[in-house]
Amino acid sequence: MLREQRLQFIKAHQAAFEVEPLYPLALFEALVETFDEDCALEASCKIEFDQLIASRFLIFFSQNFEQNLARVLNFIRQVNQRVDVQINTDLLYHFLGRGFDFRKMIRLATGVDLRRNLADSSLKIHIRLNDYPEKVKTALALHGNPDDASFWADLNAIANIGLDFYLDGRSEIEVYPELTEERFQQPEMQVLLLQMFPPFVLAPLKVSEIFGFGLSKANPSAVLYYQLKNKRDLPSYFAINNKAQQVHGYYLHQDTRPYMWVGVAQSELAKTRIDQIRLYYHQIFKAQGID
């Protein structure tokens, strides 16, 4: 039953947004079905003007990390068996190194971001760390150690590391600094944020639990991430276009978690209408049923 519920979450998203069965979505669904333990699923849409990219899914694990990473790597190997696919996971092994301490991993995720052009499709691995500064330094070195990333590392704000493996052999590493509500409400942090960002960037923090940043060479500017406490607050703080409204309208009527994530560039927030945005919705699946 748990496996069916997880698969139904993915299928419902596919049906709602007419997601094509692009390669390797079927292999990802098979991966999702293999797990019996508690997990969470994320379905997301990337809106680029009137274009909707909806074949985007992640599965999250909060236990058995070494075993689950082995399963994830097996999934990647299965995807790589197709003759026109070439996946290079060297970046992951450089990051893990020898003797990686899995006790300092608190979340593992993997997923897909699929496009009609196979070369633009990617597999994703996200690793969340707890008090593992050595690996943050490793990630920064692999990333290229930009000044903005180093700044957040000095504030001990980087805990999440993302790796993208494109099906044409390219790979990227992304670091995700984040501030919890408790931290961004501290007076000294508010002074700092006001120095760094205009008021329209900080306005959604009134209804957010987490404020984060995605720093990657693949993006010309940082992506700002907000975890909204209640997905119903989205239109009050983000002037989304019609395509994004269609996506959000669907999820307002779905039994997903009350919170949601929003990813957007600062340049988009400055506009009277946001035409490029990422919307993320979640559900938690436990052995005793959906939470």
Side-chain angles (χ1 to χ4, degrees), residues 1-11 25-37 39 41 59 61 71 75:
M1 178 63 73
L2 186 61
R3 297 179 182 184
E4 293 174 1
Q5 290 172 341
R6 293 192 303 237
L7 197 57
Q8 179 55 36
F9 177 81
I10 295 173
K11 294 293 188 183
L25 184 55
L27 289 174
F28 177 72
E29 291 173 349
L31 172 72
V32 169
E33 286 190 284
T34 63
F35 292 95
D36 290 317
E37 64 195 51
C39 69
L41 282 174
I59 183 170
F61 308 101
R71 291 176 175 177
F75 160 65

Side-chain angles (χ1 to χ4, degrees), residues 9-21 25 29 57:
F9 177 81
I10 295 173
K11 294 293 188 183
H13 179 89
Q14 290 177 252
F17 305 113
E18 300 179 350
V19 175
E20 298 178 58
L25 184 55
E29 291 173 349
F57 303 97

Side-chain angles (χ1 to χ4, degrees), residues 222-224 226 238 262-266 268-269 274 276-278:
V223 179
L224 307 177
Y226 304 83
F238 299 89
V262 181
V264 64
Q266 179 174 321
E268 285 291 314
L269 283 176
I274 297 171
Q276 299 183 81
I277 194 168
R278 302 160 174 85

